[in-house]
Amino acid sequence: MFMEILVTGGTVFASRFTAEYFSAKGHKVYVLNRGNHVQSPHVIPIKGDRHHLGDTLKKYHFDVVMDITAYNYDDVKLLFEGLGSFDHYIFVSSSAVYPETLQQPFHEQQKCGENSYWGDYGIHKIAAESFVLENIRNSYIIRPPYLYGSMNNLYREAFVFDCAENDLPFYVPQDGKMSLQFFHIRDMCRFIEILLDKQPIERIYNVGNTEIVDICHWVKLCYKVLGKKPEMQYVDGRIPQRSYFPFLNYSYILDVKRQNSLMKETTPLFDGLCESYEWYKNHKEFVKRKPLLDFIHKNFK
């Protein structure tokens, strides 16, 4: 069914991929942003600041609003107040809403609260979720773990690809057994399609791969994409992990049974990483590099 869709952002990673995904499916996709970045050629840009919309959006009717970029209560509230009419609202939240003290895997019925690893980020996402649940009918909230895939501008799998390209050993935090859970950005878009099609009763969904990997396995898969095997070097836990590795020293797992009841299959991690590298090797200038390699060269050589 043809839809007119508003995607917030639309210029980098999750929001850009989402906008282009639905545009490629034949939908009419508008993107709301301040116009400071190159726009996708396949969408209709609406220049505006979600905090100061005035009447910018009042003339439009959207079949669905996909809010990919909201971080806090005001982000959602001011966008909602600035909209004209719409039928459905999808809010992309975060797994950071679960306190690390809860029993894992985290499930949707657990009470949200402060997570000391994520700090204010998680607290603000909780407040944004509360506004959605209390004020926006026909809305869904999805809580992803680490998103990956084409257009990822965060220096995560790209960092490992850089290490593999340069035939570097890989410096692994402690014993490398920390668990990681991923979700391909295309699978997120597929799940949004399913929510809009089936319109299930439940309004909150953890999303992610059922397959959980540890650091060592993830690194080996990234190197395998380039046809290589990493030489693992294990790093003492007294060295701050984020100085040489792209993820926090925090392991968590989401229960995704509710998602799996609606979407039976997700992209195998190796296949998704192959897609990531195909995009990355031709778009390296779009990735926000962190000085991880600099730290490694100065401290581990």
Side-chain angles (χ1 to χ4, degrees), residues 266-286:
T266 57
T267 302
L269 184 55
F270 179 70
D271 293 349
L273 289 170
C274 288
E275 291 181 29
S276 293
Y277 184 61
E278 284 302 308
W279 177 84
Y280 174 62
K281 66 184 182 180
N282 296 309
H283 300 89
K284 292 186 178 184
E285 69 275 17
F286 295 107

Side-chain angles (χ1 to χ4, degrees), residues 94-95 98 103-110 141-147 180-184 187-188 191 194-195 202 204-212 252-267:
S94 169
S95 55
Y98 295 110
Q103 183 176 353
Q104 296 191 35
F106 299 139
H107 58 80
E108 295 91 343
Q109 296 93 337
Q110 288 174 312
I141 293 169
I142 57 179
R143 296 170 175 167
Y146 294 116
L147 291 170
L180 295 168
Q181 187 175 26
F182 294 96
F183 197 48
H184 197 285
D187 289 339
M188 189 183 83
F191 189 66
I194 291 169
L195 290 177
E202 300 292 350
I204 301 175
Y205 290 86
N206 290 339
V207 294
N209 293 349
T210 303
E211 175 192 14
I212 308 300
Y252 70 91
I253 300 170
L254 297 176
D255 183 320
V256 293
K257 292 187 182 71
R258 188 177 285 184
Q259 165 205 284
N260 290 342
S261 69
L262 298 172
M263 186 172 75
K264 303 300 181 183
E265 297 181 356
T266 57
T267 302

Side-chain angles (χ1 to χ4, degrees), residues 86-98:
F86 65 93
D87 295 329
H88 301 279
Y89 193 99
I90 306 290
F91 174 54
V92 178
S93 184
S94 169
S95 55
V97 300
Y98 295 110

Side-chain angles (χ1 to χ4, degrees), residues 106-153:
F106 299 139
H107 58 80
E108 295 91 343
Q109 296 93 337
Q110 288 174 312
K111 186 176 180 180
C112 295
E114 180 179 1
N115 182 303
S116 63
Y117 290 92
W118 295 110
D120 288 345
Y121 175 74
I123 294 170
H124 289 318
K125 283 286 190 177
I126 293 169
E129 283 191 9
S130 296
F131 184 89
V132 172
L133 292 171
E134 294 168 7
N135 296 280
I136 307 178
R137 298 179 58 189
N138 298 328
S139 60
Y140 291 104
I141 293 169
I142 57 179
R143 296 170 175 167
Y146 294 116
L147 291 170
Y148 78 108
S150 299
M151 305 186 192
N152 188 1
N153 66 321

